Amino acid sequence: VLAPLLSEEKHRAEVIKSLLAFGEKAEDAVQVQLNHTDTVTRRAAIALLSEIGTAKSLKLLQRLNAIERDKLNKQNIALTLK
């Protein structure tokens, strides 16, 4: 329920805090946001998964890295995959 609100700038900071508090339990919902058309929403999802993601997020991030066009998102993915 919370993860889709990552796309709303006015709620993003609070949503991120809440999802971080849920930890791994929020991983699946956050992963869905990797497919969002909004670059900033994907960036938030990448950042969250770098904190709460498990090994199952790594393959998704690797796939996203291959098709992501935003330079900052690609850098964030690379840092997460290290």
Side-chain angles (χ1 to χ4, degrees), residues 9-78:
E9 185 178 352
K10 65 182 178 178
H11 299 296
R12 191 173 293 128
E14 287 299 317
V15 170
I16 289 171
K17 287 181 194 175
S18 296
L19 291 169
L20 284 171
F22 279 109
E24 289 180 23
K25 295 178 209 167
E27 183 177 23
D28 291 342
V30 173
Q31 287 175 344
V32 172
Q33 300 308 306
L34 293 174
N35 296 317
H36 202 284
T37 57
D38 178 57
T39 300
V40 179
T41 300
R42 289 194 312 277
R43 189 171 302 141
I46 293 163
L48 278 163
L49 291 172
S50 74
E51 296 289 328
I52 65 167
T54 64
K56 69 181 184 177
S57 289
L58 294 180
K59 283 189 178 189
L60 288 173
L61 288 169
Q62 288 170 336
R63 283 189 221 138
L64 178 61
N65 195 40
I67 61 171
E68 178 62 58
R69 300 184 111 178
D70 182 79
K71 185 177 180 179
L72 186 54
N73 282 356
K74 286 184 79 69
Q75 289 172 344
N76 290 341
I77 293 168

